[in-house]
Amino acid sequence: MRYPPGHKEETRGRIVQAAADLFRARGYEGVGVQDIMKEAGLTHGGFYGHFKSKKDLFQAVMGLEADFLRRMRARTGTTRKALRDEAKDICTGYLEPDHMEAIGKGCPMASLAVDAARADTKTRKEFARGISDLEREFARGLSSSNEPDSRALAAIALAVGGFILGRASGDKDLQTAIMSASRDEIAKLLDRAKP
């Protein structure tokens, strides 16, 4: 059977998206190739026409643009202050309990950090590239000659770390306190003069 142009790329994209959703929801070890292909609406046998292994697929998932980065890139401010204010708003939304409930569609930095840490070098490089891209985007609203900007890295660590700890705590009061403290400290960091 002959497929239309772009069919293979479209199918590959469906597999990557299905894997991203499942990995974020269940973790790398909690998902098998059969689960991914079923989620993509495909048969198990077709997987190896696109990827050598689940590890290679995980690498492709780590290469996807995170929603956090996409939101930061979409900022429209024309001054550093406007960009910082938008960044603070994005971080506030990121550190909301509703975002935590949408983990299957949420940020791979928060939901897959532990899996990425245990992955192979290529996968960790993809994860690191995402962090670097996000740091550069935060730095767009900061006035610094330092590269990377320590405030941007700290804001990322507070956002992602606050999300991970809040989610893992299982205690609503503690979760609220962690996320609130993280939001407050991010705002202070982004308003602080250059280091």
Side-chain angles (χ1 to χ4, degrees):
M1 171 188 232
R2 204 166 246 266
Y3 291 106
H7 175 77
K8 185 168 182 155
E9 293 79 19
E10 180 188 320
T11 301
R12 186 180 197 282
R14 281 175 44 205
I15 295 167
V16 171
Q17 191 56 58
D21 292 346
L22 289 173
F23 287 150
R24 285 189 297 252
R26 298 187 211 163
Y28 179 80
E29 293 299 328
V31 179
V33 169
Q34 189 166 349
D35 300 320
I36 294 164
M37 295 304 281
K38 183 177 179 185
E39 181 74 13
L42 301 165
T43 61
H44 181 262
F47 177 83
Y48 296 99
H50 298 277
F51 299 96
K52 290 185 228 172
S53 65
K54 186 173 103 171
K55 180 176 79 171
D56 287 342
L57 174 57
F58 190 54
Q59 211 173 87
V61 167
M62 287 294 101
L64 293 175
E65 182 179 63
D67 185 55
F68 195 179
L69 177 58
R70 192 172 18 260
R71 289 176 190 209
M72 289 291 288
R73 283 183 172 154
R75 291 177 299 163
T76 58
T78 56
T79 66
R80 286 189 174 119
K81 182 181 180 333
L83 288 167
R84 283 193 313 273
D85 288 345
E86 285 180 80
K88 288 185 273 187
D89 289 344
I90 290 166
C91 289
T92 295
Y94 185 85
L95 288 161
E96 286 295 329
D98 289 347
H99 182 238
M100 194 169 295
E101 299 303 320
I103 193 66
K105 298 286 184 195
C107 180
M109 284 184 196
S111 58
L112 296 172
V114 172
D115 291 314
R118 294 181 180 132
D120 62 22
T121 302
K122 286 182 179 180
T123 302
R124 287 193 317 271
K125 281 185 180 180
E126 284 295 330
F127 190 83
R129 186 179 54 76
I131 294 169
S132 294
D133 289 348
L134 188 55
E135 180 277 328
R136 281 191 295 280
E137 195 52 48
F138 265 99
R140 217 169 38 106
L142 304 171
S143 56
S144 173
S145 59
N146 294 343
E147 185 144 340
D149 190 291
S150 61
R151 294 166 296 172
L153 290 173
I156 294 166
L158 282 163
V160 175
F163 186 94
I164 291 169
L165 292 175
R167 180 174 176 235
S169 74
D171 177 315
K172 290 289 183 190
D173 292 335
L174 182 57
Q175 178 186 96
T176 299
I178 290 169
M179 294 179 122
S180 178
S182 297
R183 284 191 302 265
D184 292 348
E185 292 306 312
I186 289 168
K188 289 177 195 173
L189 267 170
L190 295 181
D191 285 336
R192 193 174 78 202
K194 68 181 173 182

